[in-house]
Amino acid sequence: MKKIALLLMLAMLLSSPAYAAKPKVTIYTSMYEDVIEAMTETLHEKFPDYDVEFFYGGTGTLQAKIAAERDTKKLGCDMLMVADPSYALELKDLGLLHAYVTKEAENIALDYDPEGYWYPVRNLNMILAYNPEKFDKKDLPQSFKDFANDEAVRGLISMPNPLTAGTALVALSALKDKYGYEYFDKLAENKPMVESGSVALTKLETGECKIIMILEESVLKKREEEDSELEVIYPTDGAICVPSPIMTIKDEWSAHGNSKICEELTDWFLSPEGQSYIVKGWMHSVLKTPPAIPYDSINTAEIIKSSMPVSWENCLRDRTELRTNFEKAIKK
C-alpha cells in the first residue's frame, strides 16, 4: 500500500505545473551563433514559461531543409529569421505562414507585410571593405560598379556565395536590376574569389585581397572584438540593404503548434529591447527610432536613404536564373 501511495504522489507531482513540460518554440535562423547565444539567455529570462531554442544555418541551407520538410507536411520549426526577404514572399504564397498584426508595426521604418505575415527584424547591409594598413583607400573601387570593372584589383577581390548565402543573392539581384546581367560578365573578368566572410576577412588582413564584398556586420564585429583596423567602404552607388524577415509558421505546419507564443516573441523581437540585441550583434535596428546604431557604423537612416533599390518580387522570380547565370559566369 505504501508503494502505491508513493507512486500516486509521484504521479501527482509530475503532472503538476512545476513539472509539466514547457511549451516549445524552435526558431530557424541565419544570425551569428554568438548573437543567438546571447538572445537565448535573454529569452529564457523574459519568457521563463516557454522553451525557446534556435537552430542555426545559412539561408540557403535552411531553405533546402524546409523544402525537404515540406514533403513530410510538417516543418521542424515554428518561426524563421532568415536573411532573404523574398523567401518570405515565397512561403506566404505557399500558405505556410501565420498572419499576426504586431503592436510594434507602427514603429517599423522598413516595409513589412500589411497582413502581418512577415516583418523585418534586422537590417543587414552589403558593403565593401579594405585594409588601410595594406592599401590606400583612394586607389580602390568606391562603388559596386567599379568593384567589377577596376582592373587594378583583378584577382584580388572576394565575395560571398549567392548559391548558399541569402544576402549575397539579394545583392546580385539588386546589381542585376541596376547594371544588367553584363555585370556578372564584368565581375567574372575581375576574377573574384567566392568564399565565406571569415575567409575573405583573413585574406584582407594578409593582403591577399585588396577589397571584398561583405556584410557590414562582419567587419564591425571584427573591429570591436579584435580591435581590427579593417574598414568599411559604403559604396557610392549605395549599400545593398537586406531587411531580413521574422515569420511564424502556421500551426498545422509548425513543429509545435504554438503560434500564440510566437506572436509574443515577435512583439519582443520588434520592441526597443529586442532590437537592442540586434544592434549589439552589429546589425541595424528596423525601428523608426533605433535604440542605437551598431558599433563603429554610421546612421541607419543615412544608409537606407542612399541604398541601392531592391525588388523582392524580382529577387523571388529570378532566383533560379540569378544562380544559374552566376554559376555560368563566375563559378565555371
Side-chain angles (χ1 to χ4, degrees):
M1 290 294 291
K2 286 183 180 180
K3 187 175 181 181
I4 293 172
L6 284 170
L7 287 171
L8 286 171
M9 286 177 64
L10 181 61
M12 288 173 66
L13 278 170
L14 291 175
S15 63
S16 70
Y19 285 89
K22 295 179 181 179
K24 191 169 185 177
V25 169
T26 299
I27 305 173
Y28 285 178
T29 184
S30 58
M31 286 194 300
Y32 281 131
E33 291 180 86
D34 48 357
V35 177
I36 293 170
E37 287 175 15
M39 281 194 170
T40 299
E41 292 177 15
T42 302
L43 288 170
H44 286 169
E45 293 172 6
K46 298 293 296 184
F47 301 95
D49 296 331
Y50 309 144
D51 180 9
V52 182
E53 67 170 17
F54 289 92
F55 178 89
Y56 169 78
T59 297
T61 301
L62 293 176
Q63 287 176 342
K65 183 174 175 60
I66 288 171
E69 290 172 349
R70 279 176 51 210
D71 292 338
T72 69
K73 304 299 181 184
K74 182 69 71 171
L75 305 188
C77 64
D78 304 281
M79 299 182 77
L80 280 166
M81 294 170 65
V82 294
D84 180 0
S86 71
Y87 189 49
L89 305 186
E90 178 181 349
L91 295 183
K92 178 184 176 181
D93 287 346
L94 289 170
L96 299 182
L97 299 183
H98 168 78
Y100 169 61
V101 178
T102 176
K103 63 182 183 181
E104 302 293 342
E106 63 182 19
N107 299 321
I108 297 173
L110 301 162
D111 289 339
Y112 57 87
D113 185 82
E115 297 174 279
Y117 285 100
W118 57 267
Y119 298 94
V121 71
R122 53 193 172 124
N123 189 30
L124 314 179
N125 299 300
M126 191 67 75
I127 46 82
L128 300 172
Y130 78 109
N131 185 349
E133 296 184 314
K134 297 286 184 181
F135 303 102
D136 195 322
K137 182 179 178 180
K138 67 179 175 59
D139 297 327
L140 298 171
Q142 303 296 305
S143 67
F144 284 119
K145 183 178 181 180
D146 289 342
F147 180 77
N149 285 273
D150 188 345
E151 294 181 8
V153 296
R154 181 166 293 171
L156 298 170
I157 62 176
S158 173
M159 65 176 293
N161 189 350
L163 305 182
T164 55
T167 49
L169 186 66
V170 169
L172 276 191
S173 180
L175 290 163
K176 183 271 295 179
D177 286 351
K178 187 171 182 65
Y179 298 119
Y181 276 116
E182 294 82 3
Y183 185 86
F184 290 33
D185 298 325
K186 289 293 184 182
L187 191 59
E189 288 174 15
N190 248 10
K191 303 184 184 306
M193 305 172 209
V194 181
E195 55 208 354
S196 69
S198 59
V199 172
L201 289 169
T202 299
K203 289 182 178 179
L204 209 55
E205 289 180 315
T206 62
E208 190 175 344
C209 279
K210 281 188 173 184
I211 188 166
I212 62 175
M213 181 192 298
I214 195 167
L215 286 176
E216 177 196 33
E217 64 193 85
S218 301
V219 183
L220 303 184
K221 181 178 190 288
K222 200 166 186 69
R223 286 180 65 84
E224 182 171 20
E225 290 190 338
E226 302 176 28
D227 200 26
S228 171
E229 293 297 323
L230 300 183
E231 290 188 7
V232 170
I233 294 176
Y234 294 97
T236 55
D237 47 1
I240 299 170
C241 297
V242 188
S244 303
I246 185 169
M247 304 165 265
T248 295
I249 304 300
K250 275 185 177 178
D251 280 346
E252 57 264 40
W253 279 93
S254 71
H256 304 103
N258 290 319
S259 60
K260 291 301 177 185
I261 298 174
C262 295
E263 291 176 1
E264 291 182 52
L265 294 172
T266 297
D267 287 343
W268 183 82
F269 275 113
L270 296 175
S271 71
E273 182 184 15
Q275 286 292 290
S276 71
Y277 283 88
I278 295 295
V279 174
K280 287 176 186 175
W282 308 279
M283 298 168 284
H284 287 259
S285 169
V286 301
L287 300 182
K288 291 175 182 175
T289 305
I293 61 170
Y295 174 85
D296 251 10
S297 184
I298 63 175
N299 187 277
T300 303
E302 183 182 339
I303 296 178
I304 294 172
K305 183 179 178 181
S306 61
S307 65
M308 188 179 295
V310 182
S311 166
W312 307 117
E313 290 78 11
N314 288 357
C315 194
L316 174 60
R317 184 195 65 215
D318 300 337
R319 184 186 298 160
T320 301
E321 186 178 287
L322 286 164
R323 287 170 172 158
T324 300
N325 278 277
F326 176 80
E327 282 194 289
K328 194 180 298 180
I330 296 165
K331 296 206 72 176
K332 295 175 182 176

